[in-house]
Amino acid sequence: MWEFTQTSVHWIDIVLIVSYLAGITVFGFYYKSHIKTAKDYFLANRSLPWWVIGLSIIGTNIGSNDYIGAAGNAYSIGIAQANFEWIGAIPAMILSALVFIPFFWRAGVYSIPEYLGLRYNNAVRFIAACVMSVFAVVIVGVFLWATAIMLQTYLGWPIWFSILVTATVVGFYTISGGLGAVAITDTVQTFIMFFTAIIVAFIGIEKIGGFDVFIKTLQNNYPDHLHSFLPANHPVFPWPGVILGLGIVLSPAYWCANQAILQRTFAAKSEWDGKASMMFAACLKTFVPFLIVMPGLLALTLAGKSITHQDQALPWVIKHILPAGISGLMFVAFIAALQSSIDSTMNSTSVIIVRDIINVAKKTKLTDGAQLRLGKLFTFIILIVGIAFAPITAYFQGIYVYVQYALSLFQGPIFALMLFGILDKRITPSAGLFSMISGLAVAAVLGWLQFNMLYIAFLSFVYSAIALYIVSLFTKRKPEAELKNVVYSNVVEID
Amino acid sequence: MTEILYSLPLWYAKVTAMLIFLGMLIVAWLLPYNFVVQGAPDKKRWRDLRLWATLLTIVQLFIYYIF
């Protein structure tokens, strides 16, 4: 943990990794001169084109858990893992692009809690902001630890040094360049990920003996690995849970209400660019299984069932298939996946803390200059707390799974508030507050009763939706004038 | 309830997934044209995002048909 150790990494790989870390820092630092106002820092002065945002969305979405976990799951259960990228993403991304993003963009909000404040009230905004911020800070710590583990395993760097290098590089361009730097570096990182995936797939299939041999091996030896859905009694991914929990609730909650994902669409240079960016990301998402599922299937066809733990599938591919230079590139893609998730989480959380917690709690509103200063300060504080929290994750096995589980408790109720709040102006602010708090309690009870995570998301969403309508019958609606650009019927009337 | 769920064949899952994609496509085409292209810099055909949604849906239906 504290010492540098000798590893057998080729010098070409080390040059690639160090060049990437230096290059991405310089690239991000270039954006420092663009930051003059809080709008520059948080929303890149609303200047980003659709293709940059689309690539940035995918970069933010793909984290280390996708690379290691998805490749491992593909090794274990096969192509059913791709449901997280297909039925578990694309319908929700279409919904987000065509129904949600237009409202966020027209309302001119900086964050999801800010939209909830406009649609419901500041109490809903404040609670949502607090919950999102706590999860985000923990996730930064988990991501930093995951990066450090990789650097230690691959380069022999001690954990403390690896965390410091990662935090310094990401912190440098995120704090100095704001969302503009984050989006541009994410774009570069996504290019690296796709480019590397194509090379890895090409080399792997070549090693097997061609694409026909690859498919025939899977068909003959592992036919179950070519089914897109698993039986209803599967302990982890039962198909009704995948359809109802993932497809109908968790996925829309993520793609329509996740701050780190959506913040860059708020920064689009036009409403159309915001919508098109999510559509473009959905097109890219179709091919994401090629990045993260393919290595698992390559390991299965080449190593058979000899790999003892499924999470070793991807490291096995790197070690046994990839030549020097390419394995370094694969490692750079890893680091890129992690960094693009860390920088987006830091930037989006600082927006929420400054505008939705401090600004709401204070009696006098913050000036633009104060928001800019606090934005940079809190990005730094989030990074420091993340660094402090990173080693703690080592003492909790699978803490990331627990974080995701806890987050899923919150996503059903919040998505119900977003969806019905946008579609129906009869929903009242009091109903929103009641449904969010009681929906969270219902989800916690279902968790205590040990329901599958996917079913908890679906049932808490259904409960919150029913509660919204029942409480709205007895409470006061928001005045029509205050719902301008916030509710569907009003927007269509304007056009 | 659980027994009924467990007895359903796997093709139910495929059909349900395909119906979700088709449902989303119907939602997209129900939206007014002006609402979908609002903010576009010109009136070129490819700015209509409902066409993007259609292409995406066709690709996804093909994928779920194969696997």
Side-chain angles (χ1 to χ4, degrees):
Chain A
M1 171 142 181
W2 300 101
E3 294 168 354
F4 289 84
T5 52
Q6 194 69 40
T7 59
S8 56
V9 180
H10 198 280
W11 66 269
I12 295 175
D13 292 342
I14 293 175
V15 167
L16 264 172
I17 292 161
V18 173
S19 302
Y20 164 77
L21 290 172
I24 210 84
T25 307
V26 172
F27 200 75
F29 189 65
Y30 164 76
Y31 270 78
K32 186 181 180 184
S33 58
H34 293 234
I35 306 299
K36 301 280 189 292
T37 66
K39 193 175 177 182
D40 292 337
Y41 188 73
F42 293 136
L43 294 184
N45 198 23
R46 286 198 153 184
S47 62
L48 299 177
W50 61 273
W51 60 273
V52 165
I53 301 171
L55 285 163
S56 177
I57 286 171
I58 293 297
T60 301
N61 173 241
I62 300 173
S64 62
N65 58 313
D66 290 289
Y67 261 111
I68 297 278
N73 273 339
Y75 176 80
S76 169
I77 63 171
I79 211 155
Q81 173 63 28
N83 277 319
F84 283 85
E85 319 302 327
W86 294 336
I87 189 72
I90 291 172
M93 293 170 89
I94 295 173
L95 182 73
S96 179
L98 296 179
V99 176
F100 283 80
I101 289 172
F103 296 93
F104 300 148
W105 204 90
R106 291 178 194 199
V109 296
Y110 283 51
S111 69
I112 297 297
E114 187 174 356
Y115 176 82
L116 288 170
L118 286 176
R119 178 59 187 85
Y120 295 100
N121 54 35
N122 272 344
V124 172
R125 177 181 182 178
F126 189 79
I127 293 169
C130 290
V131 173
M132 287 179 183
S133 302
V134 169
F135 281 121
V137 172
V138 172
I139 284 170
V140 167
V142 173
F143 283 158
L144 282 172
W145 181 259
T147 315
I149 289 288
M150 282 188 216
L151 286 166
Q152 184 196 39
T153 308
Y154 197 74
L155 295 180
W157 292 358
I159 289 281
W160 64 269
F161 184 73
S162 303
I163 289 176
L164 278 183
V165 167
T166 308
T168 304
V169 170
V170 178
F172 195 65
Y173 71 75
T174 307
I175 293 168
S176 63
L179 184 65
V182 168
I184 297 293
T185 49
D186 281 0
T187 302
V188 175
Q189 287 157 344
T190 306
F191 265 120
I192 292 170
M193 285 186 249
F194 271 95
F195 178 68
T196 307
I198 291 166
I199 291 177
V200 169
F202 184 78
I203 291 172
I205 287 172
E206 198 65 26
K207 195 135 188 160
I208 291 165
F211 190 73
D212 286 347
V213 178
F214 172 61
I215 292 295
K216 274 178 184 160
T217 307
L218 285 173
Q219 281 174 335
N220 296 334
N221 302 341
Y222 314 101
D224 289 348
H225 279 62
L226 290 173
H227 291 164
S228 56
F229 288 101
L230 300 171
N233 57 358
H234 191 274
V236 185
F237 298 129
W239 73 259
V242 168
I243 297 276
L244 297 173
L246 178 67
I248 293 179
V249 178
L250 280 177
S251 156
Y254 179 83
W255 291 102
C256 304
N258 183 294
Q259 177 66 23
I261 291 291
L262 287 168
Q263 189 182 334
R264 55 225 60 227
T265 66
F266 305 159
K269 64 181 180 182
S270 73
E271 182 188 324
W272 185 86
D273 280 86
K275 291 181 288 198
S277 68
M278 188 58 87
M279 278 293 194
F280 178 49
C283 295
L284 294 173
K285 194 74 173 154
T286 305
F287 302 101
V288 165
F290 192 67
L291 266 85
I292 57 180
V293 172
M294 192 69 166
L297 295 177
L298 287 174
L300 183 69
T301 46
L302 283 165
K305 287 289 186 182
S306 64
I307 297 171
T308 49
H309 192 277
Q310 64 177 48
D311 280 355
Q312 290 300 314
L314 188 59
W316 188 92
V317 168
I318 293 173
K319 194 173 177 183
H320 292 88
I321 296 180
L322 305 181
I326 302 299
S327 57
L329 196 61
M330 184 75 204
F331 194 75
V332 165
F334 260 140
I335 302 278
L338 277 158
Q339 286 185 335
S340 58
S341 300
I342 296 171
D343 61 18
S344 302
T345 307
M346 282 164 53
N347 185 267
S348 62
T349 309
S350 73
V351 177
I352 290 177
I353 291 173
V354 172
R355 289 182 61 91
D356 302 313
I357 296 178
I358 296 175
N359 211 24
V360 168
K362 272 173 69 80
K363 283 199 164 55
T364 53
K365 296 299 164 206
L366 294 166
T367 63
D368 187 87
Q371 285 187 32
L372 176 59
R373 284 192 300 277
L374 282 173
K376 291 188 174 190
L377 175 65
F378 274 99
T379 307
F380 180 69
I381 290 172
I382 291 162
L383 187 62
I384 295 298
V385 174
I387 291 170
F389 187 79
I392 296 171
T393 63
Y395 297 103
F396 295 96
Q397 284 297 313
I399 191 166
Y400 187 80
V401 175
Y402 288 112
V403 170
Q404 289 298 318
Y405 186 84
L407 193 57
S408 75
L409 299 181
F410 187 67
Q411 285 185 315
I414 205 162
F415 180 59
L417 259 72
M418 298 283 291
L419 182 65
F420 296 105
I422 273 181
L423 294 180
D424 195 341
K425 58 186 175 188
R426 291 173 300 176
I427 302 294
T428 66
S430 302
L433 186 59
F434 176 82
S435 298
M436 187 157 82
I437 294 170
S438 62
L440 191 55
V442 165
V445 169
L446 292 172
W448 181 68
L449 293 171
Q450 299 194 321
F451 272 63
N452 183 304
M453 178 180 83
L454 299 170
Y455 291 129
I456 292 174
F458 179 70
L459 293 171
S460 62
F461 167 78
V462 170
Y463 163 79
S464 297
I466 294 169
L468 273 175
Y469 277 94
I470 291 175
V471 177
S472 291
L473 291 173
F474 309 105
T475 50
K476 194 181 166 192
R477 272 196 217 178
K478 203 155 189 169
E480 197 84 7
E482 290 181 26
L483 293 177
K484 187 181 174 186
N485 281 341
V486 176
V487 177
Y488 184 73
S489 57
N490 291 28
V491 170
V492 172
E493 282 161 19
I494 287 165
D495 291 336
Chain B
M1 177 67 182
T2 314
E3 290 301 316
I4 297 168
L5 212 54
Y6 285 4
S7 66
L8 293 174
L10 273 182
W11 62 263
Y12 266 62
K14 278 191 175 202
V15 170
T16 313
M18 288 177 169
L19 287 174
I20 289 174
F21 276 105
L22 286 171
M24 203 52 68
L25 188 62
I26 290 167
V27 168
W29 281 97
L30 284 175
L31 292 168
Y33 172 78
N34 285 342
F35 182 78
V36 175
V37 298
Q38 178 79 37
D42 52 52
K43 294 284 183 187
K44 286 173 185 161
R45 194 86 182 94
W46 67 275
R47 300 283 186 188
D48 187 348
L49 295 172
R50 295 174 303 185
L51 297 175
W52 298 34
T54 306
L55 179 65
L56 263 172
T57 303
I58 290 168
V59 170
Q60 286 296 318
L61 291 178
F62 180 67
I63 285 171
Y64 276 109
Y65 173 73
I66 290 177
F67 296 111

